[in-house]
Amino acid sequence: MAMAIRVFLLLILFMSSSIPGFSLFEDQVGLMDWHQQYIGKVKHAVFHTQKAGRKRVVVSTEENVVASLDLRRGEIFWRHVLGSNDVIDEIDIALGKYVIALSSEGSILRAWNLPDGQMIWESFLPGSKPSKSLLSVPASVKVEKDNVILVYGGGCLHAISSIDGEILWKKELTTEGMDAQLLFRPHGSDVIHAVGLHGLTQFGAYLLNAKNGELLKHDSTAFPGGFSGEISFVTSDTFVALDATRSTLVTISIRGGKISFQQTHVSDLVQDFSGMAVILPTKLTGIFAVRMNRLIVFIKVTDDGRLEVVDKKDHVAAVSDALPVSEGQQVFGLIQNEGGKIHLTAKICNDMRANLLEESIEMDHHQRGLVHKVFINNYIRTDRSHGFRALIVMEDHSLLLLQQGEIVWNREDGLASIIDVSTSELPVEKDGVSVAKVEHNLFEWLKGHLLKLKGTLMLANPDDLAAIQRIRLKSSEKSKMTRDHNGFRKLLIVLTRAGKLFALHTGDGRVVWSLLLHSLRKSAACEDPTPLNVYQWQVPHHHALDENPSVLVLGKCGYSPDALGVLSIVDTYAGKELNYLGPLHSIAQVIPLPFTDSTEQRLHLLIDVNKRAHLYPRTPEAKDIFLRELANVYWYSVEADNDILRGHAVKSNCILEVADDYCFDTRDLWSIVFPSDSEKIIATVTRKLNEVVHTQAKVITEQDVMYKYISKNLLFVATVAPKATGAIGSVTPEESWLVVYLIDTVTGRILHRVTHHGSQGPVHAVFSENWVVYHYFNSRSHRYEMSVIEIYDQSRADNKDVWKLVLGKHNLTSPVSSYSRPEVITKSQSYFFTHSVKTIAVTSTAKGITSKHLLIGTIGDQVLALDKRFLDPRRTVNPSQAEKEEGMIPLTDSLPIIPQTCILQVFDDKNKFNSPQSYLPLSIGHAWGVLNQEGMSFVLDLA
């Protein structure tokens, strides 16, 4: 026995020493550290589970992504991100091999190859006026010329070949005065049925020839009560709608070429009903579903047009479309929430009493919320019975596949819609941490070493190799959950559109914790919660390391400016919501103040739409600190619609019916009104409040010294001619100009103004230290330009002696006031730039010592690192010897794009270029950088 133990220990020692270390070599600096792809909240899904080929589900999302997912693992086979204005209307699969997507209100139809996502064809469908968009794809998989795809959009009906996208014929229905609501072609028929409304009072039905679009028949009948707008399909000759009051169901029958209406009050079907009913947009056959408050009622239309309630369900979260499982039999899925479980039921459309499937799955509603959508798919079990799998979309925008009562896989696709981010320091590593606290348990420890042994002996399968990689990443130096010496390792606190907060580790991008915020969930008090921003709330320093840092998350209940606000305080280590308040007053602006209380909580001013300032945290200590610093609190607001800048200060406590010691009235200090006939505000940028400036002095040639004008109150404002606010090329150079300002936000004084004639936006700018760089379009040269402005303090011109600076004999410590007229000079220069830009950011370090680099996200989805020295306004064509020794680069008319400075190029799995919608710059540091775009997140090592 003792010998066996020795052999086992020697084996473990061999395994531990034989695995190579996972580290970053010098030539790997600048390479991608981690990369994640997401698709967003799914709104359409089509399953493809034929025996030949991989089983997959094709989805489209609210982030305008079309993607093919592996049905076994949930991985992305391929994906395409459409433009921000190219909203996907519907998707389907044609001929069993093409993914068909209709977008842009029915004006663009695309086909992609199902296996690899390569585009097959693209058709542009012109229309006469905006209308509902409809897509009808034939179910036949035979490759024939008459596989016609029907598209209604822009008031026109188009017939398109599914093979090559050719428009076969076009019929404009708006000339007949109808807006189609439903479009279908019975199997094997040459007649197309289109039904819709003439206004809101008349129902119309069209019969068209499928081969040439010829109008065969048109019937219309007025309904005196008027319709609410939606029409639901029941059978090919029976439809239902709600009247204008949403209290009466209207059965519409088309028989013998005549249209007839039959009305049924909702209260006759469901007793004690009050309010308004809503017909669910589910595609069921023979029945339809109506939501009445929290109750969903399934109603059947009898042969004589009467309505008959066949089932009622309470607490229903989602209903799927009908799925054909056999000849004449269709099944749909039903999801119900109850406690900590969700119940999945598969029901037969023509026999609601029979359930083909009943399953219950444990689900933490506090982590994922309620179910929003469900899509079902069937398969044949070994005993020849029908089995079902369900793809469900949760409240937090995550995607889950349920099968046989278990969650097969899940995807955190809420990360495709990040709206704000903050950072949090990791805890300090403590000495004496035992192995038991590091490893989960002995079994996990042994399992990890056995996997490593299999990898060394080349016996590992792909799943084992993936597990080994995860273990290496988890145990590597950059993936530790403790703070490193240089501060490279951090937590990214990410807020998504769903109101969920994620903590991502910058080392490997893993999700450390996630939290669906209680304050940002739909409730009776907050019907439409909308997340806004994340702010640092509590950042403990070294003398308070026993306290965990926390963040402040703000949101509001609705989309209007005067919607009530909500806020949450979240522990960034534990991922727990410490406190939440709301609904509160409205939130028009948030002012993080540079003051903290004894517990390191940062003070914030929340400005409402009535220009009242509300202090948080609401504690006596915070109030005392604020009152002491009251004279030094200033802020500004931008009224872009009215082209007005205003400066504000606190006046006194609010005079309200209910006394509030933490509410303060404000006063306007100054205002700048730009002439509306010549200038329109398009961009404003200011410095980051937490930016560190290492030195105010800049030593130039021949030991001369220039002093940076460092002020946190400086604001960069860009305005353009009103005609130049449109797209590039929409205005002539003579009608376009760009004016930029540097404005002191305490006094409203304009420190610098420059005009670029013949230029227009969009303008992207970044402000750091005493300089600002901005990007715009030069209409005269038909090229993009980047300009730089540096501002220097002339009041310290007497301190040009470097020895005085070294010996401390200078007046740099003398107070500077915005009210004393500054003596400043500016230096500026403009350069041509070959790329259009989505965003610009600047690198930063803890001490501000390292030289600055601009990180430029281009329209081509590249990230360029551009040395700030190329944007030095002092560059000359022939620099002197002293300027060369200083590192001055000779002047050129354009900025160079060096291939080595392209630190990121985004490609998909097939090396076909992806075109994500927009870049959202997150926190970018010298040692690490983050850039998130819709559907994609990644971290770059910029050490």
Side-chain angles (χ1 to χ4, degrees):
M1 184 66 183
M3 179 61 68
I5 294 175
R6 292 191 187 96
V7 171
F8 178 75
L9 292 175
L10 288 173
L11 181 62
I12 294 296
L13 179 62
F14 167 74
M15 290 171 3
S16 303
S17 60
S18 62
I19 303 301
F22 186 82
S23 58
L24 188 70
F25 296 97
E26 289 185 13
D27 60 350
Q28 291 178 304
V29 172
L31 298 180
M32 186 181 299
D33 285 341
W34 53 267
H35 169 216
Q36 298 177 1
Q37 281 186 316
Y38 300 102
I39 57 176
K41 185 180 181 181
V42 171
K43 61 180 181 180
H44 304 112
V46 182
F47 292 88
H48 186 266
T49 55
Q50 296 179 359
K51 292 183 179 179
R54 296 178 177 178
K55 292 179 172 58
R56 64 183 72 210
V57 57
V58 179
V59 299
S60 68
T61 71
E62 294 182 359
E63 280 68 35
N64 301 337
V65 176
V66 178
S68 175
L69 304 180
D70 185 354
L71 205 53
R72 299 183 185 276
R73 302 175 181 271
E75 298 171 349
I76 298 176
F77 284 137
W78 54 263
R79 68 164 208 161
H80 295 287
V81 185
L82 307 185
S84 58
N85 298 322
D86 197 3
V87 179
I88 301 171
D89 303 317
E90 289 190 56
I91 62 168
D92 209 333
I93 296 178
L95 304 176
K97 61 179 181 178
Y98 294 157
V99 175
I100 305 297
L102 180 65
S103 62
S104 294
E105 298 181 343
S107 62
I108 303 177
L109 190 69
R110 298 180 178 92
W112 287 285
N113 193 31
L114 181 61
D116 56 15
Q118 297 293 324
M119 181 174 285
I120 305 300
W121 50 260
E122 181 179 37
S123 297
F124 296 92
L125 313 176
S128 57
K129 71 172 187 178
S131 67
K132 185 176 182 178
S133 56
L134 303 171
L135 174 68
S136 177
V137 177
S140 174
V141 297
K142 295 181 180 180
V143 181
E144 299 173 356
K145 190 65 178 178
D146 61 349
N147 283 114
V148 177
I149 299 173
L150 300 176
V151 173
Y152 176 74
C156 297
L157 178 62
H158 297 82
I160 295 134
S161 170
S162 57
I163 299 174
D164 54 14
E166 179 187 355
I167 299 177
L168 304 178
W169 52 261
K170 171 185 174 182
K171 176 66 176 179
E172 188 170 352
L173 298 183
T174 53
T175 57
E176 309 293 338
M178 188 189 79
D179 186 13
Q181 299 288 318
L182 296 172
L183 183 69
F184 58 94
R185 178 184 177 184
H187 182 66
S189 173
D190 288 335
V191 178
I192 298 170
H193 298 254
V195 298
L197 299 176
H198 299 264
L200 291 176
T201 59
Q202 197 167 18
F203 175 84
Y206 287 84
L207 298 181
L208 299 99
N209 190 326
K211 294 182 178 180
N212 54 24
E214 179 186 356
L215 181 62
L216 302 177
K217 190 176 183 180
H218 170 221
D219 295 309
S220 64
T221 304
F223 178 67
F227 298 102
S228 62
E230 305 96 359
I231 298 177
S232 180
F233 176 90
V234 180
T235 63
S236 59
D237 58 1
T238 307
F239 312 90
V240 293
L242 280 165
D243 71 343
T245 64
R246 292 188 178 271
S247 61
T248 301
L249 287 166
V250 183
T251 307
I252 307 168
S253 300
I254 307 176
R255 292 173 184 172
K258 294 183 179 181
I259 300 173
S260 61
F261 303 108
Q262 189 169 336
Q263 303 182 52
T264 306
H265 291 284
V266 177
S267 57
D268 294 339
L269 300 173
V270 179
Q271 295 181 354
D272 302 327
F273 168 75
S274 61
M276 293 187 298
V278 177
I279 297 178
L280 297 182
T282 53
K283 299 176 182 178
L284 307 179
T285 302
I287 61 174
F288 63 98
V290 180
R291 184 181 292 277
M292 305 175 186
N293 298 328
R294 298 182 61 181
L295 188 70
I296 288 187
V297 181
F298 295 92
I299 302 172
K300 177 183 178 181
V301 182
T302 62
D303 295 336
D304 56 359
R306 292 185 298 106
L307 301 183
E308 179 183 322
V309 176
V310 294
D311 202 356
K312 299 178 184 178
K313 293 292 182 181
D314 199 4
H315 302 290
V316 174
V319 181
S320 77
D321 291 339
L323 172 73
V325 294
S326 61
E327 187 69 28
Q329 190 179 61
Q330 291 188 327
V331 178
F332 69 94
L334 189 71
I335 293 284
Q336 291 176 278
N337 296 305
E338 185 177 339
K341 295 183 178 181
I342 61 173
H343 301 284
L344 172 63
T345 307
K347 289 182 171 290
I348 303 175
C349 288
N350 54 12
D351 186 4
M352 293 290 291
R353 294 172 296 179
N355 295 334
L356 293 182
L357 175 72
E358 288 185 83
E359 292 179 350
S360 294
I361 300 97
E362 295 286 343
M363 184 68 66
D364 188 357
H365 296 306
H366 298 291
Q367 277 294 331
R368 298 195 180 274
L370 303 177
V371 178
H372 276 196
K373 287 181 180 292
V374 60
F375 308 91
I376 65 168
N377 175 245
N378 71 307
Y379 60 94
I380 304 299
R381 298 192 181 103
T382 54
D383 60 357
R384 309 306 298 172
S385 63
H386 287 287
F388 295 91
R389 56 176 70 93
L391 188 73
I392 64 174
V393 183
M394 302 299 295
E395 184 180 345
D396 65 343
H397 298 184
S398 60
L399 189 65
L400 293 81
L401 183 71
L402 309 181
Q403 188 171 335
Q404 297 181 354
E406 294 182 354
I407 299 176
V408 180
W409 51 259
N410 67 83
R411 294 179 50 86
E412 292 288 358
D413 283 309
L415 286 169
S417 53
I418 296 173
I419 60 175
D420 199 14
V421 71
S422 182
T423 58
S424 175
E425 293 288 351
L426 288 165
V428 176
E429 187 172 4
K430 298 179 181 179
D431 296 331
V433 178
S434 64
V435 176
K437 291 184 179 180
V438 177
E439 302 289 350
H440 293 294
N441 51 50
L442 181 61
F443 174 75
E444 293 291 334
W445 184 74
L446 290 173
K447 179 182 176 182
H449 281 79
L450 288 175
L451 283 172
K452 292 177 182 178
L453 178 61
K454 290 176 69 175
T456 303
L457 300 178
M458 308 179 89
L459 300 175
N461 57 35
D463 291 339
D464 294 335
L465 293 175
I468 293 171
Q469 183 68 6
R470 287 194 296 268
I471 292 172
R472 287 177 174 175
L473 288 175
K474 188 175 180 180
S475 60
S476 65
E477 184 71 20
K478 69 175 183 179
S479 302
K480 286 185 176 181
M481 281 299 296
T482 55
R483 194 178 308 180
D484 62 314
H485 176 70
N486 294 316
F488 294 169
R489 293 194 297 264
K490 296 180 186 292
L491 286 180
L492 298 178
I493 309 302
V494 171
L495 178 64
T496 68
R497 184 166 56 89
K500 192 169 186 179
L501 208 62
F502 290 86
L504 306 180
H505 196 290
T506 59
D508 54 9
R510 70 181 185 274
V511 177
V512 178
W513 56 259
S514 60
L515 175 67
L516 186 61
L517 296 173
H518 181 275
S519 60
L520 292 177
R521 295 190 64 186
K522 186 176 181 179
S523 63
C526 191
E527 284 291 332
D528 296 305
T530 305
L532 294 176
N533 298 103
V534 181
Y535 296 92
Q536 298 282 350
W537 178 257
Q538 186 177 23
V539 185
H541 292 287
H542 294 290
H543 64 275
L545 290 177
D546 54 333
E547 296 286 341
N548 289 355
S550 56
V551 292
L552 170 67
V553 183
L554 294 176
K556 60 180 183 178
C557 299
Y559 304 99
S560 62
D562 58 348
L564 300 180
V566 292
L567 59 86
S568 295
I569 311 295
V570 180
D571 187 321
T572 61
Y573 287 172
K576 294 181 179 179
E577 196 168 15
L578 304 177
N579 190 18
Y580 66 90
L581 298 173
L584 305 166
H585 48 80
S586 58
I587 302 176
Q589 195 173 357
V590 181
I591 314 297
L593 299 174
F595 316 124
T596 57
D597 60 13
S598 59
T599 62
E600 304 291 344
Q601 289 184 349
R602 188 169 185 173
L603 275 60
H604 292 73
L605 275 184
L606 273 58
I607 315 299
D608 63 20
V609 293
N610 297 316
K611 296 185 179 180
R612 295 192 182 99
H614 303 265
L615 178 65
Y616 292 88
R618 298 171 67 87
T619 61
E621 182 187 5
K623 180 185 175 184
D624 293 340
I625 296 173
F626 180 70
L627 291 177
R628 286 199 304 268
E629 302 289 344
L630 193 63
N632 297 321
V633 177
Y634 302 91
W635 70 92
Y636 70 94
S637 62
V638 181
E639 299 176 16
D641 294 337
N642 301 321
D643 301 309
I644 300 176
L645 295 179
R646 299 186 190 275
H648 311 277
V650 176
K651 183 170 61 175
S652 60
N653 281 99
C654 299
I655 301 176
L656 303 172
E657 295 181 359
V658 179
D660 186 355
D661 293 338
Y662 302 97
C663 176
F664 299 88
D665 284 326
T666 63
R667 58 192 175 98
D668 292 344
L669 296 178
W670 54 266
S671 63
I672 299 177
V673 181
F674 296 95
S676 58
D677 59 341
S678 61
E679 295 186 53
K680 185 75 177 175
I681 298 176
I682 61 169
T684 58
V685 177
T686 188
R687 280 183 56 201
K688 290 184 178 180
L689 294 177
N690 60 350
E691 184 184 27
V692 177
V693 180
H694 176 64
T695 177
Q696 187 181 357
K698 180 177 180 179
V699 180
I700 57 177
T701 56
E702 299 178 356
Q703 296 186 350
D704 199 2
V705 180
M706 298 180 68
Y707 293 95
K708 305 172 186 176
Y709 184 77
I710 304 296
S711 173
K712 294 184 178 180
N713 302 318
L714 273 185
L715 174 68
F716 169 84
V717 180
T719 67
V720 294
K723 291 184 178 181
T725 56
I728 293 175
S730 61
V731 64
T732 63
E734 290 73 20
E735 297 174 320
S736 61
W737 55 83
L738 169 69
V739 187
V740 299
Y741 299 84
L742 294 180
I743 299 174
D744 189 296
T745 58
V746 174
T747 62
R749 182 179 290 118
I750 297 176
L751 302 181
H752 182 66
R753 179 183 184 274
V754 62
T755 302
H756 299 274
H757 293 284
S759 299
Q760 66 176 107
V763 173
H764 301 278
V766 61
F767 205 141
S768 177
E769 295 188 355
N770 69 318
W771 53 266
V772 59
V773 171
Y774 52 100
H775 176 275
Y776 54 94
F777 185 76
N778 189 323
S779 301
R780 294 185 186 276
S781 302
H782 301 284
R783 288 196 284 182
Y784 288 99
E785 284 188 1
M786 290 185 74
S787 294
V788 58
I789 299 175
E790 293 185 355
I791 183 168
Y792 293 93
D793 189 354
Q794 281 294 94
S795 64
R796 307 176 188 276
D798 296 336
N799 297 321
K800 291 187 176 182
D801 191 345
V802 174
W803 289 109
K804 283 187 178 181
L805 184 66
V806 173
L807 298 175
K809 295 182 179 180
H810 52 73
N811 63 348
L812 293 182
T813 58
S814 59
V816 177
S817 173
S818 292
Y819 284 102
S820 61
R821 188 172 186 85
E823 299 178 26
V824 297
I825 61 169
T826 59
K827 294 182 179 294
S828 60
Q829 186 63 270
S830 298
Y831 306 90
F832 290 120
F833 191 65
T834 56
H835 289 275
S836 56
V837 170
K838 289 183 177 179
T839 188
I840 304 178
V842 62
T843 58
S844 61
T845 53
K847 302 298 182 182
I849 301 175
T850 309
S851 59
K852 300 286 186 179
H853 279 69
L854 295 176
L855 297 182
I856 303 171
T858 69
I859 197 70
D861 297 317
Q862 295 174 314
V863 180
L864 304 177
L866 183 63
D867 195 325
K868 170 60 175 62
R869 292 185 302 161
F870 285 105
L871 286 156
D872 190 335
R874 297 171 47 244
R875 288 175 61 185
T876 58
V877 177
N878 297 309
S880 63
Q881 183 61 34
E883 289 174 334
K884 291 179 180 179
E885 293 175 358
E886 183 190 341
M888 190 80 69
I889 301 174
L891 178 64
T892 55
D893 63 345
S894 61
L895 295 173
I897 303 300
I898 305 171
Q900 289 80 3
T901 65
C902 178
I903 58 177
L904 182 71
Q905 174 75 62
V906 182
F907 291 94
D908 63 11
D909 295 335
K910 301 299 178 182
N911 290 330
K912 183 179 179 182
F913 195 64
N914 260 335
S915 180
Q917 299 181 42
S918 60
Y919 285 93
L920 175 64
L922 306 184
S923 179
I924 298 179
H926 171 63
W928 55 269
V930 179
L931 198 65
N932 176 275
Q933 48 197 339
E934 297 204 7
M936 185 173 292
S937 302
F938 44 84
V939 165
L940 311 171
D941 192 332
L942 304 177

